[in-house]
Amino acid sequence: NQSSWLMVISCDSLIPATMLWQKLQPVTTQINKNQEADKKVICLTDNSHLYPLLGLYQLSIEPDLKVYINSGERRVMAFIQPMTHAVPLTSNWQHLTNFNTPIDFERACTSLCNL
């Protein structure tokens, strides 16, 4: 059984889409092979938190997510956490995940050049 997946990349990430896909896509095969039906989100993680906007989402979560949001919930992390398979962030991607200041942006550009 192959599932349909949607790749999500935050607008403040400089991780190349092809590299993110190559890192996360093999996990979809692992999930299907091991019949881990409860794992419907694959995203990057570091030592302190998940990166839900750098991941793959099974399209089958849409109905449940709509119900969750329409019921007034806004904490999407609480919704996805139980169904997440976390993949360790590649160390040289750390500064590419997001940036909020000019210094962060400069650091990201330097990191991008070093890929």
PDB file of all heavy atoms in Angstrom, residues 1-3 5 24 26-42 58 60-61 81-87:
ATOM      1  N   ASN A   1       0.833  -1.182   0.000  1.00  0.00           N
ATOM      2  CA  ASN A   1       0.000   0.000   0.000  1.00  0.00           C
ATOM      3  C   ASN A   1       0.874   1.240   0.000  1.00  0.00           C
ATOM      4  O   ASN A   1       1.572   1.508   0.956  1.00  0.00           O
ATOM      5  CB  ASN A   1      -0.891   0.017   1.242  1.00  0.00           C
ATOM      6  CG  ASN A   1      -2.233  -0.591   0.987  1.00  0.00           C
ATOM      7  OD1 ASN A   1      -2.599  -0.846  -0.144  1.00  0.00           O
ATOM      8  ND2 ASN A   1      -2.961  -0.846   2.058  1.00  0.00           N
ATOM      9  N   GLN A   2       0.810   1.999  -1.057  1.00  0.00           N
ATOM     10  CA  GLN A   2       1.527   3.259  -1.122  1.00  0.00           C
ATOM     11  C   GLN A   2       0.595   4.381  -0.682  1.00  0.00           C
ATOM     12  O   GLN A   2      -0.553   4.434  -1.102  1.00  0.00           O
ATOM     13  CB  GLN A   2       2.027   3.519  -2.544  1.00  0.00           C
ATOM     14  CG  GLN A   2       3.167   2.626  -2.963  1.00  0.00           C
ATOM     15  CD  GLN A   2       4.457   2.951  -2.224  1.00  0.00           C
ATOM     16  OE1 GLN A   2       4.645   4.054  -1.704  1.00  0.00           O
ATOM     17  NE2 GLN A   2       5.344   1.999  -2.150  1.00  0.00           N
ATOM     18  N   SER A   3       1.074   5.245   0.154  1.00  0.00           N
ATOM     19  CA  SER A   3       0.305   6.405   0.605  1.00  0.00           C
ATOM     20  C   SER A   3       0.739   7.623  -0.189  1.00  0.00           C
ATOM     21  O   SER A   3       1.845   7.677  -0.712  1.00  0.00           O
ATOM     22  CB  SER A   3       0.563   6.654   2.088  1.00  0.00           C
ATOM     23  OG  SER A   3       0.193   5.533   2.839  1.00  0.00           O
ATOM     24  N   TRP A   5       1.818  11.481  -0.152  1.00  0.00           N
ATOM     25  CA  TRP A   5       2.466  12.385   0.788  1.00  0.00           C
ATOM     26  C   TRP A   5       2.597  13.769   0.173  1.00  0.00           C
ATOM     27  O   TRP A   5       2.806  13.910  -1.025  1.00  0.00           O
ATOM     28  CB  TRP A   5       3.859  11.866   1.161  1.00  0.00           C
ATOM     29  CG  TRP A   5       3.858  10.562   1.886  1.00  0.00           C
ATOM     30  CD1 TRP A   5       3.767   9.320   1.330  1.00  0.00           C
ATOM     31  CD2 TRP A   5       3.941  10.357   3.287  1.00  0.00           C
ATOM     32  NE1 TRP A   5       3.799   8.366   2.307  1.00  0.00           N
ATOM     33  CE2 TRP A   5       3.904   8.965   3.517  1.00  0.00           C
ATOM     34  CE3 TRP A   5       4.044  11.210   4.378  1.00  0.00           C
ATOM     35  CZ2 TRP A   5       3.968   8.419   4.793  1.00  0.00           C
ATOM     36  CZ3 TRP A   5       4.111  10.667   5.649  1.00  0.00           C
ATOM     37  CH2 TRP A   5       4.078   9.282   5.851  1.00  0.00           C
ATOM     38  N   LEU A  24      13.961  12.644   3.573  1.00  0.00           N
ATOM     39  CA  LEU A  24      12.717  12.191   4.208  1.00  0.00           C
ATOM     40  C   LEU A  24      12.000  11.069   3.463  1.00  0.00           C
ATOM     41  O   LEU A  24      11.348  10.228   4.087  1.00  0.00           O
ATOM     42  CB  LEU A  24      11.761  13.379   4.380  1.00  0.00           C
ATOM     43  CG  LEU A  24      12.263  14.523   5.247  1.00  0.00           C
ATOM     44  CD1 LEU A  24      11.225  15.635   5.297  1.00  0.00           C
ATOM     45  CD2 LEU A  24      12.624  14.056   6.645  1.00  0.00           C
ATOM     46  N   PRO A  26      12.822   8.220   1.980  1.00  0.00           N
ATOM     47  CA  PRO A  26      13.034   6.816   2.345  1.00  0.00           C
ATOM     48  C   PRO A  26      12.248   6.380   3.589  1.00  0.00           C
ATOM     49  O   PRO A  26      11.917   5.202   3.738  1.00  0.00           O
ATOM     50  CB  PRO A  26      14.545   6.729   2.591  1.00  0.00           C
ATOM     51  CG  PRO A  26      15.116   7.841   1.763  1.00  0.00           C
ATOM     52  CD  PRO A  26      14.090   8.941   1.836  1.00  0.00           C
ATOM     53  N   VAL A  27      11.922   7.310   4.455  1.00  0.00           N
ATOM     54  CA  VAL A  27      11.157   6.965   5.658  1.00  0.00           C
ATOM     55  C   VAL A  27       9.736   6.545   5.290  1.00  0.00           C
ATOM     56  O   VAL A  27       9.149   5.706   5.962  1.00  0.00           O
ATOM     57  CB  VAL A  27      11.167   8.131   6.672  1.00  0.00           C
ATOM     58  CG1 VAL A  27      10.374   7.780   7.919  1.00  0.00           C
ATOM     59  CG2 VAL A  27      12.597   8.512   7.036  1.00  0.00           C
ATOM     60  N   THR A  28       9.187   7.098   4.204  1.00  0.00           N
ATOM     61  CA  THR A  28       7.841   6.682   3.786  1.00  0.00           C
ATOM     62  C   THR A  28       7.834   5.194   3.455  1.00  0.00           C
ATOM     63  O   THR A  28       6.904   4.482   3.814  1.00  0.00           O
ATOM     64  CB  THR A  28       7.322   7.485   2.573  1.00  0.00           C
ATOM     65  OG1 THR A  28       8.103   7.214   1.422  1.00  0.00           O
ATOM     66  CG2 THR A  28       7.300   8.966   2.861  1.00  0.00           C
ATOM     67  N   THR A  29       8.875   4.724   2.796  1.00  0.00           N
ATOM     68  CA  THR A  29       8.992   3.303   2.472  1.00  0.00           C
ATOM     69  C   THR A  29       9.116   2.483   3.745  1.00  0.00           C
ATOM     70  O   THR A  29       8.481   1.435   3.887  1.00  0.00           O
ATOM     71  CB  THR A  29      10.218   3.066   1.564  1.00  0.00           C
ATOM     72  OG1 THR A  29      10.094   3.898   0.418  1.00  0.00           O
ATOM     73  CG2 THR A  29      10.330   1.608   1.152  1.00  0.00           C
ATOM     74  N   GLN A  30       9.913   2.963   4.690  1.00  0.00           N
ATOM     75  CA  GLN A  30      10.092   2.273   5.973  1.00  0.00           C
ATOM     76  C   GLN A  30       8.764   2.182   6.726  1.00  0.00           C
ATOM     77  O   GLN A  30       8.424   1.138   7.270  1.00  0.00           O
ATOM     78  CB  GLN A  30      11.133   3.015   6.807  1.00  0.00           C
ATOM     79  CG  GLN A  30      11.358   2.474   8.189  1.00  0.00           C
ATOM     80  CD  GLN A  30      12.279   3.385   8.994  1.00  0.00           C
ATOM     81  OE1 GLN A  30      13.014   4.202   8.455  1.00  0.00           O
ATOM     82  NE2 GLN A  30      12.232   3.236  10.301  1.00  0.00           N
ATOM     83  N   ILE A  31       8.010   3.273   6.739  1.00  0.00           N
ATOM     84  CA  ILE A  31       6.714   3.295   7.432  1.00  0.00           C
ATOM     85  C   ILE A  31       5.754   2.309   6.772  1.00  0.00           C
ATOM     86  O   ILE A  31       5.084   1.532   7.451  1.00  0.00           O
ATOM     87  CB  ILE A  31       6.136   4.718   7.459  1.00  0.00           C
ATOM     88  CG1 ILE A  31       6.917   5.566   8.459  1.00  0.00           C
ATOM     89  CG2 ILE A  31       4.650   4.707   7.805  1.00  0.00           C
ATOM     90  CD1 ILE A  31       6.570   7.038   8.438  1.00  0.00           C
ATOM     91  N   ASN A  32       5.702   2.312   5.441  1.00  0.00           N
ATOM     92  CA  ASN A  32       4.828   1.378   4.729  1.00  0.00           C
ATOM     93  C   ASN A  32       5.258  -0.063   4.960  1.00  0.00           C
ATOM     94  O   ASN A  32       4.425  -0.940   5.187  1.00  0.00           O
ATOM     95  CB  ASN A  32       4.811   1.684   3.230  1.00  0.00           C
ATOM     96  CG  ASN A  32       4.074   2.961   2.909  1.00  0.00           C
ATOM     97  OD1 ASN A  32       3.164   3.359   3.617  1.00  0.00           O
ATOM     98  ND2 ASN A  32       4.485   3.619   1.842  1.00  0.00           N
ATOM     99  N   LYS A  33       6.563  -0.307   4.916  1.00  0.00           N
ATOM    100  CA  LYS A  33       7.097  -1.666   5.081  1.00  0.00           C
ATOM    101  C   LYS A  33       6.809  -2.209   6.481  1.00  0.00           C
ATOM    102  O   LYS A  33       6.435  -3.360   6.651  1.00  0.00           O
ATOM    103  CB  LYS A  33       8.601  -1.656   4.811  1.00  0.00           C
ATOM    104  CG  LYS A  33       9.256  -3.003   4.901  1.00  0.00           C
ATOM    105  CD  LYS A  33      10.738  -2.893   4.587  1.00  0.00           C
ATOM    106  CE  LYS A  33      11.428  -4.216   4.771  1.00  0.00           C
ATOM    107  NZ  LYS A  33      12.871  -4.115   4.537  1.00  0.00           N
ATOM    108  N   ASN A  34       6.992  -1.367   7.485  1.00  0.00           N
ATOM    109  CA  ASN A  34       6.792  -1.788   8.875  1.00  0.00           C
ATOM    110  C   ASN A  34       5.340  -1.643   9.322  1.00  0.00           C
ATOM    111  O   ASN A  34       5.020  -1.890  10.475  1.00  0.00           O
ATOM    112  CB  ASN A  34       7.702  -0.997   9.817  1.00  0.00           C
ATOM    113  CG  ASN A  34       9.163  -1.274   9.552  1.00  0.00           C
ATOM    114  OD1 ASN A  34       9.526  -2.317   9.043  1.00  0.00           O
ATOM    115  ND2 ASN A  34      10.007  -0.321   9.877  1.00  0.00           N
ATOM    116  N   GLN A  35       4.492  -1.212   8.401  1.00  0.00           N
ATOM    117  CA  GLN A  35       3.070  -1.033   8.663  1.00  0.00           C
ATOM    118  C   GLN A  35       2.820  -0.160   9.897  1.00  0.00           C
ATOM    119  O   GLN A  35       2.017  -0.474  10.758  1.00  0.00           O
ATOM    120  CB  GLN A  35       2.372  -2.390   8.794  1.00  0.00           C
ATOM    121  CG  GLN A  35       2.470  -3.197   7.519  1.00  0.00           C
ATOM    122  CD  GLN A  35       1.846  -4.565   7.631  1.00  0.00           C
ATOM    123  OE1 GLN A  35       1.563  -5.051   8.711  1.00  0.00           O
ATOM    124  NE2 GLN A  35       1.636  -5.195   6.494  1.00  0.00           N
ATOM    125  N   GLU A  36       3.533   0.936   9.957  1.00  0.00           N
ATOM    126  CA  GLU A  36       3.375   1.908  11.043  1.00  0.00           C
ATOM    127  C   GLU A  36       2.257   2.881  10.668  1.00  0.00           C
ATOM    128  O   GLU A  36       2.485   4.041  10.349  1.00  0.00           O
ATOM    129  CB  GLU A  36       4.671   2.668  11.277  1.00  0.00           C
ATOM    130  CG  GLU A  36       5.828   1.792  11.746  1.00  0.00           C
ATOM    131  CD  GLU A  36       7.094   2.602  11.923  1.00  0.00           C
ATOM    132  OE1 GLU A  36       7.081   3.532  12.747  1.00  0.00           O
ATOM    133  OE2 GLU A  36       8.077   2.304  11.233  1.00  0.00           O
ATOM    134  N   ALA A  37       1.034   2.376  10.717  1.00  0.00           N
ATOM    135  CA  ALA A  37      -0.125   3.169  10.279  1.00  0.00           C
ATOM    136  C   ALA A  37      -0.318   4.434  11.104  1.00  0.00           C
ATOM    137  O   ALA A  37      -0.929   5.389  10.641  1.00  0.00           O
ATOM    138  CB  ALA A  37      -1.381   2.311  10.332  1.00  0.00           C
ATOM    139  N   ASP A  38       0.214   4.453  12.329  1.00  0.00           N
ATOM    140  CA  ASP A  38       0.037   5.628  13.184  1.00  0.00           C
ATOM    141  C   ASP A  38       0.992   6.763  12.823  1.00  0.00           C
ATOM    142  O   ASP A  38       0.830   7.879  13.289  1.00  0.00           O
ATOM    143  CB  ASP A  38       0.195   5.245  14.647  1.00  0.00           C
ATOM    144  CG  ASP A  38       1.587   4.713  14.977  1.00  0.00           C
ATOM    145  OD1 ASP A  38       2.203   4.064  14.098  1.00  0.00           O
ATOM    146  OD2 ASP A  38       2.061   4.926  16.098  1.00  0.00           O
ATOM    147  N   LYS A  39       1.993   6.510  11.998  1.00  0.00           N
ATOM    148  CA  LYS A  39       2.964   7.537  11.614  1.00  0.00           C
ATOM    149  C   LYS A  39       2.557   8.146  10.283  1.00  0.00           C
ATOM    150  O   LYS A  39       2.681   7.534   9.236  1.00  0.00           O
ATOM    151  CB  LYS A  39       4.382   6.957  11.534  1.00  0.00           C
ATOM    152  CG  LYS A  39       4.876   6.369  12.836  1.00  0.00           C
ATOM    153  CD  LYS A  39       4.852   7.388  13.957  1.00  0.00           C
ATOM    154  CE  LYS A  39       5.307   6.791  15.276  1.00  0.00           C
ATOM    155  NZ  LYS A  39       5.032   7.641  16.411  1.00  0.00           N
ATOM    156  N   LYS A  40       2.020   9.359  10.340  1.00  0.00           N
ATOM    157  CA  LYS A  40       1.501  10.022   9.156  1.00  0.00           C
ATOM    158  C   LYS A  40       2.208  11.337   8.853  1.00  0.00           C
ATOM    159  O   LYS A  40       1.891  12.013   7.884  1.00  0.00           O
ATOM    160  CB  LYS A  40       0.002  10.253   9.310  1.00  0.00           C
ATOM    161  CG  LYS A  40      -0.779   8.948   9.448  1.00  0.00           C
ATOM    162  CD  LYS A  40      -2.249   9.198   9.618  1.00  0.00           C
ATOM    163  CE  LYS A  40      -3.012   7.948   9.897  1.00  0.00           C
ATOM    164  NZ  LYS A  40      -3.164   7.052   8.793  1.00  0.00           N
ATOM    165  N   VAL A  41       3.168  11.690   9.698  1.00  0.00           N
ATOM    166  CA  VAL A  41       3.950  12.911   9.513  1.00  0.00           C
ATOM    167  C   VAL A  41       5.411  12.536   9.693  1.00  0.00           C
ATOM    168  O   VAL A  41       5.770  11.845  10.643  1.00  0.00           O
ATOM    169  CB  VAL A  41       3.560  13.993  10.546  1.00  0.00           C
ATOM    170  CG1 VAL A  41       4.447  15.220  10.413  1.00  0.00           C
ATOM    171  CG2 VAL A  41       2.092  14.364  10.422  1.00  0.00           C
ATOM    172  N   ILE A  42       6.231  12.991   8.777  1.00  0.00           N
ATOM    173  CA  ILE A  42       7.681  12.785   8.862  1.00  0.00           C
ATOM    174  C   ILE A  42       8.287  14.173   8.816  1.00  0.00           C
ATOM    175  O   ILE A  42       8.053  14.927   7.861  1.00  0.00           O
ATOM    176  CB  ILE A  42       8.207  11.951   7.678  1.00  0.00           C
ATOM    177  CG1 ILE A  42       7.506  10.597   7.598  1.00  0.00           C
ATOM    178  CG2 ILE A  42       9.716  11.776   7.772  1.00  0.00           C
ATOM    179  CD1 ILE A  42       7.707   9.886   6.273  1.00  0.00           C
ATOM    180  N   GLN A  58       1.144  12.719   5.260  1.00  0.00           N
ATOM    181  CA  GLN A  58       0.236  11.836   4.543  1.00  0.00           C
ATOM    182  C   GLN A  58      -1.062  12.587   4.283  1.00  0.00           C
ATOM    183  O   GLN A  58      -1.616  13.213   5.195  1.00  0.00           O
ATOM    184  CB  GLN A  58      -0.043  10.580   5.375  1.00  0.00           C
ATOM    185  CG  GLN A  58       0.320   9.316   4.662  1.00  0.00           C
ATOM    186  CD  GLN A  58      -0.029   8.106   5.488  1.00  0.00           C
ATOM    187  OE1 GLN A  58      -1.166   7.928   5.883  1.00  0.00           O
ATOM    188  NE2 GLN A  58       0.971   7.278   5.732  1.00  0.00           N
ATOM    189  N   SER A  60      -3.899  11.583   4.004  1.00  0.00           N
ATOM    190  CA  SER A  60      -5.038  11.001   4.726  1.00  0.00           C
ATOM    191  C   SER A  60      -5.340  11.702   6.045  1.00  0.00           C
ATOM    192  O   SER A  60      -6.399  11.491   6.633  1.00  0.00           O
ATOM    193  CB  SER A  60      -4.793   9.514   4.987  1.00  0.00           C
ATOM    194  OG  SER A  60      -3.676   9.339   5.836  1.00  0.00           O
ATOM    195  N   ILE A  61      -4.440  12.583   6.535  1.00  0.00           N
ATOM    196  CA  ILE A  61      -4.723  13.280   7.797  1.00  0.00           C
ATOM    197  C   ILE A  61      -5.663  14.472   7.602  1.00  0.00           C
ATOM    198  O   ILE A  61      -6.171  15.019   8.578  1.00  0.00           O
ATOM    199  CB  ILE A  61      -3.451  13.745   8.538  1.00  0.00           C
ATOM    200  CG1 ILE A  61      -2.751  14.883   7.807  1.00  0.00           C
ATOM    201  CG2 ILE A  61      -2.514  12.583   8.797  1.00  0.00           C
ATOM    202  CD1 ILE A  61      -1.669  15.562   8.623  1.00  0.00           C
ATOM    203  N   GLN A  81       2.030  15.671  16.801  1.00  0.00           N
ATOM    204  CA  GLN A  81       3.089  15.025  17.578  1.00  0.00           C
ATOM    205  C   GLN A  81       2.897  13.508  17.755  1.00  0.00           C
ATOM    206  O   GLN A  81       3.849  12.765  17.540  1.00  0.00           O
ATOM    207  CB  GLN A  81       3.249  15.701  18.936  1.00  0.00           C
ATOM    208  CG  GLN A  81       4.524  15.277  19.632  1.00  0.00           C
ATOM    209  CD  GLN A  81       5.311  16.445  20.153  1.00  0.00           C
ATOM    210  OE1 GLN A  81       4.766  17.525  20.336  1.00  0.00           O
ATOM    211  NE2 GLN A  81       6.579  16.252  20.383  1.00  0.00           N
ATOM    212  N   PRO A  82       1.700  13.029  18.089  1.00  0.00           N
ATOM    213  CA  PRO A  82       1.549  11.583  18.276  1.00  0.00           C
ATOM    214  C   PRO A  82       1.730  10.771  16.994  1.00  0.00           C
ATOM    215  O   PRO A  82       2.022   9.581  17.064  1.00  0.00           O
ATOM    216  CB  PRO A  82       0.113  11.425  18.796  1.00  0.00           C
ATOM    217  CG  PRO A  82      -0.324  12.776  19.212  1.00  0.00           C
ATOM    218  CD  PRO A  82       0.489  13.762  18.453  1.00  0.00           C
ATOM    219  N   MET A  83       1.579  11.408  15.849  1.00  0.00           N
ATOM    220  CA  MET A  83       1.672  10.680  14.585  1.00  0.00           C
ATOM    221  C   MET A  83       2.954  10.986  13.825  1.00  0.00           C
ATOM    222  O   MET A  83       3.085  10.671  12.659  1.00  0.00           O
ATOM    223  CB  MET A  83       0.442  10.961  13.712  1.00  0.00           C
ATOM    224  CG  MET A  83       0.274  12.388  13.299  1.00  0.00           C
ATOM    225  SD  MET A  83      -1.182  12.663  12.276  1.00  0.00           S
ATOM    226  CE  MET A  83      -2.445  12.758  13.508  1.00  0.00           C
ATOM    227  N   THR A  84       3.922  11.598  14.504  1.00  0.00           N
ATOM    228  CA  THR A  84       5.150  12.035  13.847  1.00  0.00           C
ATOM    229  C   THR A  84       6.276  11.017  13.982  1.00  0.00           C
ATOM    230  O   THR A  84       6.525  10.480  15.048  1.00  0.00           O
ATOM    231  CB  THR A  84       5.616  13.385  14.428  1.00  0.00           C
ATOM    232  OG1 THR A  84       4.619  14.359  14.146  1.00  0.00           O
ATOM    233  CG2 THR A  84       6.929  13.833  13.841  1.00  0.00           C
ATOM    234  N   HIS A  85       6.950  10.808  12.861  1.00  0.00           N
ATOM    235  CA  HIS A  85       8.216  10.078  12.832  1.00  0.00           C
ATOM    236  C   HIS A  85       9.286  11.148  12.618  1.00  0.00           C
ATOM    237  O   HIS A  85       9.327  11.786  11.569  1.00  0.00           O
ATOM    238  CB  HIS A  85       8.231   9.057  11.686  1.00  0.00           C
ATOM    239  CG  HIS A  85       9.521   8.312  11.587  1.00  0.00           C
ATOM    240  ND1 HIS A  85       9.652   7.044  12.059  1.00  0.00           N
ATOM    241  CD2 HIS A  85      10.725   8.674  11.095  1.00  0.00           C
ATOM    242  CE1 HIS A  85      10.892   6.630  11.847  1.00  0.00           C
ATOM    243  NE2 HIS A  85      11.558   7.609  11.267  1.00  0.00           N
ATOM    244  N   ALA A  86      10.110  11.379  13.620  1.00  0.00           N
ATOM    245  CA  ALA A  86      11.114  12.446  13.563  1.00  0.00           C
ATOM    246  C   ALA A  86      12.415  11.923  12.961  1.00  0.00           C
ATOM    247  O   ALA A  86      12.866  10.825  13.292  1.00  0.00           O
ATOM    248  CB  ALA A  86      11.365  12.992  14.960  1.00  0.00           C
ATOM    249  N   VAL A  87      12.998  12.722  12.084  1.00  0.00           N
ATOM    250  CA  VAL A  87      14.253  12.400  11.421  1.00  0.00           C
ATOM    251  C   VAL A  87      15.283  13.434  11.865  1.00  0.00           C
ATOM    252  O   VAL A  87      15.024  14.638  11.778  1.00  0.00           O
ATOM    253  CB  VAL A  87      14.083  12.446   9.883  1.00  0.00           C
ATOM    254  CG1 VAL A  87      15.404  12.230   9.177  1.00  0.00           C
ATOM    255  CG2 VAL A  87      13.045  11.418   9.433  1.00  0.00           C
TER     256      VAL A  87
END
